[in-house]
Amino acid sequence: MSLVELIVQADERGLAASGLACLDRCVPLLGGDDDVLRPLWASLTDGEEWEVRLAKARSALDTAEVDDDEACVLARRMLGAAPAVLPQSRESLIGTPEAAQLREWADACSVAALQIHRILDVTEDGATSVTSRREGSTDAMSPLVAAELRRQITILELLSVHGASGLRQALDVSTEGRRVLRAVVSRRARGRV
């Protein structure tokens, strides 16, 4: 199943985790530490205080010095577009404007994260856009984009199969991706000096 199909089929928790995971992997571009979004992951588990925790994360990341290059701008947009309302454990948002906003955010985060990885990869990606990657085309894919695509698919599959109990594994997958991106960002910064 393609990434696009997985996003279409995801429930609210899966969408929220997918969007958050994309943002979490891109935190190195925002100048944040590895735990800055951890409270938001907790909100996906306990269903509480998303809005408050999101405001704190935005505040913490707004104070960081960030480049104005395209990759950093895309990461900032992901954070800025994060929805204030998420489903509670006993409340479904299906069919509401909030559900549509959540799906739109998760989809935009997916595109942005793939585009960020494409920008930062020293190897040229063979596709003209990330759209074909999301639809399943993997010919001549650059290594960073391929790894990001695998992570996004894995997270959606974990949550589809395991529901809330898959959140810990999804966080682990995202943490691995954040470490990779942090190393890439660090190498890029050293190359500019």
Side-chain angles (χ1 to χ4, degrees), residues 1-3 6-7 14 17-18 21-22 25 41 110 146-163 166-174 176-177:
M1 195 176 301
S2 75
L3 177 57
L6 287 168
I7 290 173
S18 176
C22 289
R25 286 189 296 282
W41 283 98
S110 168
E148 174 60 15
L149 181 66
R150 274 193 309 273
R151 285 184 193 97
Q152 288 189 29
I153 289 170
T154 298
I155 286 169
L156 285 163
E157 287 175 342
L158 281 168
L159 294 164
S160 173
V161 172
H162 301 291
L167 283 169
R168 179 69 215 166
Q169 292 171 287
L171 176 58
D172 291 342
V173 169
S174 190
E176 175 208 351

Side-chain angles (χ1 to χ4, degrees), residues 3 7 14-30 37 41 44 71 74-76 78-79 105-117 134 148-149 151-153 155-156 170-171 173-175 177-178 181:
L3 177 57
I7 290 173
L15 292 170
S18 176
L20 179 58
C22 289
L23 178 59
D24 194 13
R25 286 189 296 282
C26 295
V27 158
L29 291 166
L30 299 174
L37 298 181
W41 283 98
L44 295 182
L74 288 169
R76 277 250 178 259
M78 276 194 272
L79 178 63
W105 178 64
D107 195 57
C109 286
S110 168
V111 170
L114 286 166
Q115 187 62 29
I116 286 167
H117 284 74
R134 297 177 72 235
E148 174 60 15
L149 181 66
R151 285 184 193 97
Q152 288 189 29
I153 289 170
I155 286 169
L156 285 163
L171 176 58
V173 169
S174 190
T175 299
R178 185 177 352 99
L181 197 66

Side-chain angles (χ1 to χ4, degrees), residues 13-192:
R13 188 185 314 271
L15 292 170
S18 176
L20 179 58
C22 289
L23 178 59
D24 194 13
R25 286 189 296 282
C26 295
V27 158
L29 291 166
L30 299 174
D33 67 42
D34 287 347
D35 293 327
V36 70
L37 298 181
R38 181 81 59 163
L40 291 173
W41 283 98
S43 289
L44 295 182
T45 302
D46 61 27
E48 297 177 11
E49 296 187 5
W50 171 269
E51 189 172 2
V52 172
R53 293 170 180 173
L54 178 60
K56 286 181 181 176
R58 283 180 173 151
S59 177
L61 293 170
D62 279 344
T63 61
E65 284 190 38
V66 178
D67 289 340
D68 287 332
D69 67 9
E70 186 181 0
C72 294
V73 169
L74 288 169
R76 277 250 178 259
R77 282 188 195 148
M78 276 194 272
L79 178 63
V85 176
L86 287 187
Q88 300 300 312
S89 55
R90 287 185 281 276
E91 173 188 336
S92 177
L93 296 177
I94 292 175
T96 66
E98 290 86 358
Q101 182 186 15
L102 183 59
R103 188 169 303 283
E104 184 178 315
W105 178 64
D107 195 57
C109 286
S110 168
V111 170
L114 286 166
Q115 187 62 29
I116 286 167
H117 284 74
R118 184 179 182 166
I119 291 166
L120 297 176
D121 202 334
V122 295
T123 306
E124 185 73 26
D125 190 69
T128 56
S129 74
V130 297
T131 302
S132 63
R133 302 308 187 199
R134 297 177 72 235
E135 293 171 348
S137 172
T138 58
D139 294 341
M141 194 167 7
S142 66
L144 268 181
V145 173
E148 174 60 15
L149 181 66
R150 274 193 309 273
R151 285 184 193 97
Q152 288 189 29
I153 289 170
T154 298
I155 286 169
L156 285 163
E157 287 175 342
L158 281 168
L159 294 164
S160 173
V161 172
H162 301 291
S165 62
L167 283 169
R168 179 69 215 166
Q169 292 171 287
L171 176 58
D172 291 342
V173 169
S174 190
T175 299
E176 175 208 351
R178 185 177 352 99
R179 287 185 189 126
V180 169
L181 197 66
R182 190 171 297 285
V184 170
V185 169
S186 178
R187 273 195 306 273
R188 185 172 79 149
R190 283 194 307 271
R192 290 179 179 171

